[in-house]
Amino acid sequence: MFSAIYRSLWRSIGRYDSNYEFDLQVAEMRKQRAYVPADKPPPTIFAIRCHPKADQVCAELDEYFFKNWPWKDKATAQQFLRSETNRWACLALPNARDDRILDSVRVNTLLFLLDDVAEAMSLSEGQALYKRLTPIALGKALPDRNDPYEWMTYDIWKSMRATDPELTEVVWQGALLCITAQVDEARLNCPDLGSLLKHRAKEAGIAFVAAVMRYSQALHLTPDDITSISDIHTTYALLGVTVNDILSFDKEIRALRLNPDTEGAQMLNMTQALANDTELNYKASKRVLWVLCREWEVRHQQLVKERMQKKGVSKDLESYLEGLELVLGGNEWWSWRTERYQEKGLKMGE
């Protein structure tokens, strides 16, 4: 109040001191809290739920993969169990139908594990692996029952096609995009953040997961539905890739140290790219990316709100849009807590 009286008085006699005004503004600014780096971001605005049969599904599939997958050693198999990989899909697909949740989780975990296999290979070896498995997944070739990669791939996709051949084809197209990008030489040549984002959206399985979510809930969308939500798919992809790159970064660093000369383990991560471009350290780069994520969340929900206010929103499209947010919320929850990414992460219940 005194400062206002001061300005009025001195203006009236023509002796207003601009330096004093400047000092007052600086003093007022200093009352605001200065920026303090915080490594843990504000929580996501997306809902986080878990499938009601998660414990039952995880128990069954933990045993299935533990017994049948050709693990490198016992320690790797034990780490798979501690990482709760099967719970990822239970968190990402909480609205899955009870008769589809098992295969929906199995196919997600299969791609997780195949990604790990390809990561330890050269790109040409990874290409050969997926070339061998593709006709088997499509049911065009029978598997070698002594080869777990082959017979598990065959059985999982066969079971899905028996349930819903149309949506299984949608899932396969998403999977094909993912596995092709994982072993594409283009992954070694992403000179800027824009090209990196486009490639990461493919190899991180963003479209694949959205397709599995559709399969899990039996959601049938028209071409017009898909076209009308292209901008929503963009924010969904940006969020999925960036959260994954932030929270899987330390795991990728460990993989690179174990296999420094392996092409499949070479880093392709937004955290590293941003750090390289800005000369920030990795922790600072993650903090900047978290701000982007929270802004994209707000943008995503605004786009969904605008689409819901327009005509032509079917029940399946409404459920699909809800499902995309649940995928993103569940993915972040799990990624903070899984031993796959965090050596000392939070527990799943925290």
Side-chain angles (χ1 to χ4, degrees), residues 99-144:
D99 61 339
R100 298 192 181 203
I101 183 63
L102 203 64
D103 277 344
S104 298
V105 176
R106 282 205 303 171
V107 76
N108 270 287
T109 300
L110 176 68
L111 257 68
F112 262 127
L113 295 176
L114 287 174
D115 179 43
D116 288 343
V117 173
E119 192 176 71
M121 294 178 168
S122 68
L123 293 182
S124 60
E125 289 170 334
Q127 290 166 359
L129 171 67
Y130 286 130
K131 184 178 181 179
R132 173 163 60 92
L133 294 180
T134 292
I136 293 171
L138 292 171
K140 296 180 179 180
L142 293 176
D144 178 353

Side-chain angles (χ1 to χ4, degrees), residues 193-216:
L193 279 174
S195 58
L196 185 148
L197 260 174
K198 290 178 181 177
H199 192 86
R200 286 289 295 122
K202 295 177 184 178
E203 74 169 22
I206 304 303
F208 165 73
V209 172
V212 174
M213 184 264 288
R214 283 181 61 187
Y215 170 88
S216 75

Side-chain angles (χ1 to χ4, degrees), residues 75-265:
T76 306
Q78 291 291 347
Q79 185 183 34
F80 165 78
L81 294 180
R82 293 195 305 272
S83 297
E84 298 195 60
T85 305
N86 287 308
R87 192 166 294 273
W88 180 90
C90 293
L91 286 158
L93 311 172
N95 291 341
R97 288 170 41 161
D98 287 351
D99 61 339
R100 298 192 181 203
I101 183 63
L102 203 64
D103 277 344
S104 298
V105 176
R106 282 205 303 171
V107 76
N108 270 287
T109 300
L110 176 68
L111 257 68
F112 262 127
L113 295 176
L114 287 174
D115 179 43
D116 288 343
V117 173
E119 192 176 71
M121 294 178 168
S122 68
L123 293 182
S124 60
E125 289 170 334
Q127 290 166 359
L129 171 67
Y130 286 130
K131 184 178 181 179
R132 173 163 60 92
L133 294 180
T134 292
I136 293 171
L138 292 171
K140 296 180 179 180
L142 293 176
D144 178 353
R145 285 288 165 182
N146 294 314
D147 185 334
Y149 296 154
E150 291 194 9
W151 72 258
M152 293 175 79
T153 295
Y154 180 85
D155 288 358
I156 290 170
W157 287 99
K158 180 181 179 181
S159 179
M160 292 177 66
R161 279 196 301 274
T163 299
D164 191 328
E166 178 184 342
L167 287 179
T168 299
E169 176 60 22
V170 176
V171 176
W172 170 251
Q173 291 303 318
L176 188 61
L177 183 69
C178 173
I179 63 178
T180 301
Q182 287 173 359
V183 294
D184 190 341
E185 291 182 2
R187 79 182 309 275
L188 302 178
N189 185 30
C190 293
D192 53 59
L193 279 174
S195 58
L196 185 148
L197 260 174
K198 290 178 181 177
H199 192 86
R200 286 289 295 122
K202 295 177 184 178
E203 74 169 22
I206 304 303
F208 165 73
V209 172
V212 174
M213 184 264 288
R214 283 181 61 187
Y215 170 88
S216 75
Q217 296 179 233
L219 302 177
H220 293 265
L221 306 181
T222 68
D224 286 344
D225 286 336
I226 299 297
T227 301
S228 74
I229 58 172
S230 59
D231 49 358
I232 294 172
H233 275 149
T234 297
T235 53
Y236 160 76
L238 289 169
L239 278 161
V241 168
T242 308
V243 169
N244 179 270
D245 277 13
I246 297 169
L247 293 173
S248 69
F249 179 73
D250 294 342
K251 176 251 185 186
E252 293 179 35
I253 287 287
R254 293 194 296 271
L256 183 60
R257 288 171 179 166
L258 289 172
N259 303 286
D261 299 321
T262 303
E263 289 177 309

Side-chain angles (χ1 to χ4, degrees), residues 21-22 27 35-36 39 42 71 76 83 115 145 148 170 237 249 275 310 312 328 348:
E21 174 70 7
F22 174 76
Y35 171 69
V36 178
D39 291 333
W71 304 104
T76 306
S83 297
D115 179 43
R145 285 288 165 182
V170 176
F249 179 73
K310 296 178 181 178
L328 294 169
M348 286 292 167

